[in-house]
Amino acid sequence: MAMSELSATTWGAGTPVVLVHGSLATGSDEWPAQQPLAEEGFQLRALDRRGYGQSPAADGEDFLRDAEDIAEIVGDGSHLVGHSYGGLGAMFAAARRPDATLSLALLEPPAFSLAGRDPAAEELVAGIRRIWEQDLPDREWVVRFLEAVGTDPDSLPPGFLDEVIGLVPVLRRGRPPWEVDLPLAELASSDFPKLVVTGGHNAGFDAICDELAERIGAARVVVEGAGHEIQFTGDPINDVLLDHWRQAA
């Protein structure tokens, strides 16, 4: 796997898997429940995107810059898994490096440019945009943002909100997910297996991801139990990912 200036937590040895976290969390925060997959012949690399963890600082997160990093990190061949905002970077990286993408799995990516055909999707995006633009104290802003995307703040580990307060500027100054032309045609024409997963908690996310899966030729799965934080379900999503990766092989 190619070297990178990004920091990462690595588990196991075998076929490379790059795990790309969403907003307000590092790689080691988001993916510990996937660590058992390293025992199935995979090397899991949980990245810290720019602005997070020990990776280089960033004024705001940017999925297009993430895509450049990921396209380098996949090396000669890796499976890609992206959650939430990290799914956008994974999509663009896979479109740029289809030759090196063994498979692509997207867990509730904010493909918000696809929201226009469904009222629930439009409502979801409008609600998130309203919060994005509000001038609130950081802690109140985080709570409202998490609730808007489908994460129950009370379900998060003790002290989590205190830890992520410092990351709020990275999110709020970032490239907004609704201002992008997604690489749909490039992904649709690629041969690697694609998978789009939702948590079954929001009709808007379901509609957006239904549209995305149809447009890029992806399998579509619902894994309930953890809202937007699908990776926290552990075994249920791990079983889906393992089947996906084995299909690619």
Side-chain angles (χ1 to χ4, degrees), residues 112 115 118-134 148 178 204 208:
F112 291 159
D118 183 89
E122 289 184 320
E123 180 180 356
L124 170 69
V125 176
I128 293 172
R129 292 190 70 163
R130 281 194 300 271
I131 294 166
W132 193 287
E133 295 163 359
Q134 287 179 343
W178 41 80
I208 289 168

Side-chain angles (χ1 to χ4, degrees), residues 173-226:
R173 297 172 187 162
R175 185 185 296 272
W178 41 80
E179 297 178 2
V180 59
D181 291 325
L182 298 170
L184 303 176
E186 294 91 331
L187 293 175
S189 64
S190 299
D191 293 333
F192 54 81
K194 305 158 205 95
L195 172 69
V196 178
V197 185
T198 56
H201 63 97
N202 184 284
F205 259 125
D206 286 338
I208 289 168
C209 289
D210 286 345
E211 177 79 6
L212 176 61
E214 181 178 351
R215 296 281 290 274
I216 68 174
R220 180 72 176 86
V221 176
V222 177
V223 178
E224 298 180 349

Side-chain angles (χ1 to χ4, degrees), residues 131-144:
I131 294 166
W132 193 287
E133 295 163 359
Q134 287 179 343
D135 184 16
L136 298 170
D138 285 349
R139 187 179 182 88
E140 182 180 355
W141 192 92
V142 166
V143 170
R144 292 193 181 189

Side-chain angles (χ1 to χ4, degrees), residues 20-25 30-31 82-87 106-112 124 128 145-153 155-156 171 177 197-202 204-206 208-209 223-233 237:
V20 189
H21 66 86
S23 300
L24 299 175
E30 274 215 345
W31 302 108
H83 171 242
S84 195
Y85 195 96
L106 302 168
L107 312 185
E108 286 199 357
F112 291 159
L124 170 69
I128 293 172
F145 176 80
L146 291 174
E147 291 173 342
V149 299
T151 298
D152 179 4
S155 70
L156 297 172
L171 170 57
V197 185
T198 56
H201 63 97
N202 184 284
F205 259 125
D206 286 338
I208 289 168
C209 289
V223 178
E224 298 180 349
H228 184 58
E229 309 298 330
I230 300 166
Q231 67 279 8
F232 291 172
T233 62
I237 185 59

Side-chain angles (χ1 to χ4, degrees), residues 2-22:
M3 297 299 292
S4 169
E5 61 182 327
L6 298 190
S7 70
T9 300
T10 301
W11 300 302
T15 305
V17 177
V18 177
L19 304 172
V20 189
H21 66 86

